[in-house]
Amino acid sequence: MPLHIKRFIFWGLVMLFLLDSAAVYLSDSQGKVSSTLLTQSARDGKLLFQEHNCTACHQLYGLGGYMGPDLTNVISQPGKGESYAGSFIKYGTARMPDFHLTDTEVDALLAYLKSVDKTGNSPIRDFDIQYDGTIRTASKE
Amino acid sequence: MKKEIGLVFIFLALIALVLGLFWGCAGAFQFVFPGFFDAVPFYKTRPLHVSFVISWIVLSAIGGIYYYLNTHFRIPLFSRRMAVVHAWIFGISAALICACYLYGKFGGREYWEFPAVLAIPVFISWFLFGFNYFKTIAKKTGTWPVYLWMWGTGICFFLFTFSESYLWLFPYFRNNIVRDLTVQWKAAGALVGSWNMLVYGTALFVMEKIKGDKQMARSKLAFLMFFLGLANLMFGWAHHLYIVPTAPWIRYLSYAISMSELLIFAKLIWNWRKGLGSIRRGFYFLPYRFLIASDVWIFLNLTLALFISIPAVNVFTHGTHITVAHAMGSAIGINTMILLSSALLIIGEATGYSFSERQKKTINAGFWITNISLFFFCLFLILAGIEKGRLVIENKLSFQDIMLHINPWLISFAFAGLGLFTGLLLVTFHPLLAVAHYLRKKPATVILENSIANS
C-alpha cells in the first residue's frame, strides 16, 4: 500500500474521530428529562461519590463494581427510597463500610442519587427486541 | 555501553504483575468471604489490583518498545536520559498512587481512582515517552512496518483519551450526568484500545522475529487490519453504554462498528488454521508458546465480545460478571500472553541468560496452570453472569438473594484466581531473577557475557 494512501486513510479516520468526539461532547441525554445537576448539594454529592470510591462496589447504569446493588433507581424503586438509602449510606452494613459521613454529606449523596434516578432506568426490564438485534425501551418521562 | 533501559521497564512490569495478582486474589476472596483481610478493605484492594495490572501491561509494552528500537532497528534512542526520567516519574507516581489508595484518598473514577493531581505526572511520563519515540523513529528510513504505526498511534491515543477522561474536571461535563457518563466511557473504551495498539504491535513484532518474515508486517492486509482496529478504537466504545439514555446515534454507530470486527474474526480463524502444526523449537520456543496461547484466547474472547455487543444480548449481560469475564479474558489471555512472550524473548536475548531444563519445566508448568485456570476463571464468571442477568431481569429476588444464588460460582472463581496467581508466579519467577541479576551487574560484565552468549 503506497504511503499516501496510508496517510489518507489514517488522517481521514482521525478527522472523523474528532468530529465524533465533538458531537459526543455536545450531545445531551435522550428524552425529555435534562440530566443536569441543578442543586449545589447534588453536585457535592457527585464528588463525594468519587472521593469514597462508591463505584468500587456499586454501579450506575450497570457501570462500576459488583459487590453492591446498582444504585441508579434506588430512590424510586418500590420498597426503597430516600430514607432507606440514607440509612445504608449513614451506617454501612456488614459488607458496606461505614464512611462516618456527616448529615450534610449524606444529604448531598442522596441529592445526587435523586438526580441520577430521574435520568432513566437501570437495569432495563421493559424492552422489545427488534429484528436487527437492537432493543426499544420506554424512556423516562 | 550502558544497560538496556527497556529491561528496567520489564523488571518493574513483572513486579507490578505479581503485585496486581496478589491484590486481585485478595479482592476476590473479600468479595466472596466478607470480613476476609479487613486491614485493607475491598474498595481499596480493587483499585490497587486494577492499577497494578494496568501498569504491568503498559510497562512491559513500553519496555519492549524501548528495547526493540534500540537493538533491532539499531536506531539509538533519541534520548536515553529521557527514558530514565520516564522510568523515575512512573515509579514515583506509582508509589504515591499506592499510598493514596491505602490511605483511602480517592477522588477519581474507574481506572484512575486516585486524586486528579496525580494525573499530571502520569501524563508527563507518557508525553516524554511519545516525544522520545517519534524523535527516534523519525531517523528510520524506508517503509515503516505496521507495528511502528501501531505504537505511535497507541501513544497518541493514550495521551488524547487520558486527557479526555479528565474532562469531568470541567463543570460543563461534570454536572450533566448522562453526558459525563458518556464521555467517561468513551474515554475508558478508547484508552483500553490505545494500550491494545501497543500490545498488538508488540505481538506482530514478536511474530516477525520468530518467523523471520519481514513482509508480514508490511503487507496491505496488515495495514487494513490496523485501520479496522483503529476504527474500532475510535468508534466502538459505546457498547458500554447501550443502556445509558444517550443520544441514539451514539449507540447505533457503535453497534455497526463493533460488528465490523467480524472481519477480523474471520481472518483470524483462517490464519489460525494455516498456522497449526508449525511449532518451532529452539531459542524461540518459550515466546512462541505464549504467542500461540494468545491466539486461542483472541478467538474465544472475540466470540464473547461479538455476542455481548449485540444490544439484545447486552441488555441481559451488561452489569453482570460476563463483562468481567470479557475484560479478564482479554487482559490475561490476550495481553498478558503476548507481553510474556515479548518479555521472555527480550530477557533471553538481552541478558544472555539461558534457562536450565529445570527452569524451563517450571515455566512450562506455570504456562499450563495459568491457561487452564484462566479457562475456568472465565467460565465461572460467565456462569455467574448468566445467572445474575436472568435473575435481575426476572426481578423476583432481592439483590442479596441473587448474590447468594451465584455465590458458589464466585467462590469457584476465586479459587481459579488463586490458580492463576500460582501459574503466573511459576512463569515469572526465573525471568524476574534473570532481569534482576542483569540490572545489578556492572555494565562491563554484561557486555562480556552477552558477547559470549552471542558468539
Side-chain angles (χ1 to χ4, degrees):
Chain A
M1 194 186 286
L3 184 60
H4 67 272
I5 298 196
K6 287 177 195 161
R7 284 197 175 139
F8 177 76
I9 301 179
F10 182 81
W11 290 110
L13 280 172
V14 170
M15 285 308 296
L16 285 176
F17 174 71
L18 293 177
L19 284 176
D20 177 67
S21 301
V24 170
Y25 300 159
L26 295 173
S27 75
D28 202 340
S29 63
Q30 148 201 34
K32 298 194 178 81
V33 187
S34 153
S35 66
T36 307
L37 290 173
L38 293 174
T39 65
Q40 187 56 43
S41 177
R43 293 175 180 188
D44 295 344
K46 179 159 191 214
L47 293 180
L48 286 166
F49 201 82
Q50 291 183 191
E51 276 158 28
H52 294 289
N53 205 14
C54 308
T55 9
C57 303
H58 291 290
Q59 304 177 335
L60 295 176
Y61 286 106
L63 298 164
Y66 298 80
M67 192 185 273
D70 188 318
L71 296 179
T72 316
N73 302 121
V74 63
I75 300 296
S76 65
Q77 259 166 282
K80 300 190 177 174
E82 243 180 285
S83 57
Y84 169 91
S87 62
F88 277 88
I89 298 173
K90 179 97 190 153
Y91 304 108
T93 67
R95 317 202 68 186
M96 171 168 158
D98 175 357
F99 292 97
H100 307 287
L101 300 171
T102 64
D103 286 337
T104 331
E105 287 173 328
V106 175
D107 287 342
L109 280 162
L110 288 172
Y112 171 53
L113 289 175
K114 255 198 304 203
S115 308
V116 172
D117 180 64
K118 288 199 196 106
T119 59
N121 301 311
S122 170
I124 294 181
R125 296 200 176 85
D126 253 346
F127 56 86
D128 297 318
I129 294 178
Q130 312 282 299
Y131 69 93
D132 60 356
T134 59
I135 56 167
R136 206 210 305 271
T137 55
S139 72
K140 215 163 198 180
E141 291 296 311
Chain B
M1 204 176 119
K2 298 222 167 98
K3 286 178 200 170
E4 289 297 336
I5 185 74
L7 271 285
V8 174
F9 282 86
I10 303 266
F11 179 71
L12 292 174
L14 289 169
I15 303 252
L17 174 63
V18 173
L19 289 172
L21 290 164
F22 169 78
W23 289 116
C25 285
F29 279 90
Q30 287 173 329
F31 199 103
V32 289
F33 301 117
F36 177 82
F37 192 39
D38 255 351
V40 186
F42 181 77
Y43 69 104
K44 296 179 180 176
T45 51
R46 187 180 194 258
L48 281 166
H49 164 63
V50 174
S51 296
F52 275 116
V53 291
I54 293 179
S55 301
W56 146 246
I57 291 174
V58 298
L59 286 171
S60 56
I62 291 172
I65 294 170
Y66 277 138
Y67 176 79
Y68 295 137
L69 285 180
N70 223 358
T71 58
H72 289 259
F73 297 103
R74 311 212 175 278
I75 344 178
L77 277 187
F78 166 72
S79 161
R80 186 178 185 278
R81 181 176 299 163
M82 199 182 272
V84 174
V85 174
H86 176 186
W88 274 106
I89 297 183
F90 203 106
I92 294 171
S93 32
L96 289 174
I97 289 170
C98 277
C100 285
Y101 290 162
L102 287 169
Y103 284 98
K105 293 262 168 278
F106 301 102
R109 356 220 273 174
E110 200 98 12
Y111 296 132
W112 322 116
E113 286 96 336
F114 44 80
V117 279
L118 285 174
I120 298 170
V122 175
F123 184 90
I124 294 175
S125 77
W126 275 85
F127 183 81
L128 292 179
F129 175 47
F131 190 78
N132 216 348
Y133 177 79
F134 285 107
K135 278 288 198 185
T136 305
I137 62 165
K139 288 183 236 158
K140 174 159 169 41
T141 50
T143 316
W144 284 6
V146 73
Y147 44 78
L148 285 185
W149 285 73
M150 294 171 85
W151 289 337
T153 310
I155 297 169
C156 292
F157 268 86
F158 184 91
L159 286 169
F160 182 91
T161 47
F162 187 67
S163 314
E164 190 179 43
S165 73
Y166 280 94
L167 283 177
W168 65 269
L169 292 170
F170 298 99
Y172 171 79
F173 292 97
R174 176 171 76 228
N175 290 337
N176 184 306
I177 297 169
V178 171
R179 181 183 298 137
D180 184 41
L181 211 57
T182 311
V183 174
Q184 183 188 348
W185 288 92
K186 172 184 188 292
L191 201 66
V192 174
S194 68
W195 66 63
N196 281 345
M197 278 281 166
L198 301 184
V199 176
Y200 298 158
T202 304
L204 278 173
F205 179 86
V206 176
M207 262 185 232
E208 172 180 299
K209 188 83 194 141
I210 293 177
K211 279 198 172 170
D213 168 11
K214 291 231 181 231
Q215 275 320 302
M216 199 173 64
R218 290 165 178 81
S219 66
K220 194 168 168 183
L221 185 75
F223 276 90
L224 287 178
M225 299 295 265
F226 162 58
F227 290 131
L228 195 58
L230 184 58
N232 265 285
L233 179 172
M234 290 169 161
F235 310 109
W237 43 269
H239 50 249
H240 294 296
L241 293 172
Y242 283 153
I243 72 161
V244 180
T246 49
W249 67 267
I250 294 179
R251 285 170 273 156
Y252 281 105
L253 178 65
S254 169
Y255 179 30
I257 291 279
S258 299
M259 288 301 120
S260 74
E261 285 208 33
L262 264 176
L263 289 174
I264 301 185
F265 192 51
K267 175 68 191 133
L268 270 175
I269 300 176
W270 184 244
N271 275 12
W272 197 57
R273 283 185 17 188
K274 277 204 304 193
L276 279 183
S278 58
I279 297 191
R280 284 177 56 157
R281 300 197 171 255
F283 185 71
Y284 293 122
F285 180 66
L286 283 174
Y288 185 78
R289 263 252 135 115
F290 283 89
L291 213 53
I292 286 291
S294 79
D295 253 12
V296 177
W297 285 107
I298 289 179
F299 180 81
L300 293 174
N301 245 291
L302 214 49
T303 317
L304 183 62
L306 283 169
F307 263 109
I308 62 179
S309 294
I310 301 172
V313 177
N314 188 276
V315 74
F316 289 96
T317 63
H318 180 76
T320 72
H321 301 78
I322 292 178
T323 316
V324 191
H326 170 52
M328 296 299 102
S330 40
I332 306 170
I334 304 176
N335 292 356
T336 299
M337 292 298 152
I338 291 174
L339 292 166
L340 281 172
S341 164
S342 162
L344 286 166
L345 178 83
I346 294 172
I347 292 169
E349 221 179 62
T351 67
Y353 186 89
S354 69
F355 297 111
S356 70
E357 280 310 311
R358 255 190 60 206
Q359 292 172 335
K360 275 190 193 151
K361 274 202 181 125
T362 313
I363 296 179
N364 209 18
F367 172 83
W368 283 108
I369 296 176
T370 305
N371 279 289
I372 293 170
S373 306
L374 180 58
F375 179 79
F376 284 102
F377 187 81
C378 291
L379 182 71
F380 294 140
L381 282 171
I382 291 174
L383 291 171
I386 291 175
E387 193 71 354
K388 184 180 172 197
R390 188 177 70 78
L391 291 170
V392 165
I393 299 264
E394 222 178 62
N395 202 15
K396 289 200 186 111
L397 297 180
S398 71
F399 175 79
Q400 279 78 1
D401 287 334
I402 292 177
M403 292 309 272
L404 270 182
H405 221 83
I406 64 172
N407 214 32
W409 292 129
L410 295 178
I411 292 176
S412 318
F413 143 83
F415 281 98
L418 217 49
L420 263 177
F421 190 17
T422 316
L424 284 168
L425 272 184
L426 292 177
V427 170
T428 51
F429 183 71
H430 292 297
L432 196 52
L433 287 187
V435 192
H437 184 63
Y438 168 87
L439 292 176
R440 247 199 347 251
K441 277 186 298 188
K442 295 206 180 68
T445 35
V446 174
I447 299 169
L448 189 67
E449 283 180 20
N450 269 353
S451 58
I452 294 171
N454 291 339
S455 61

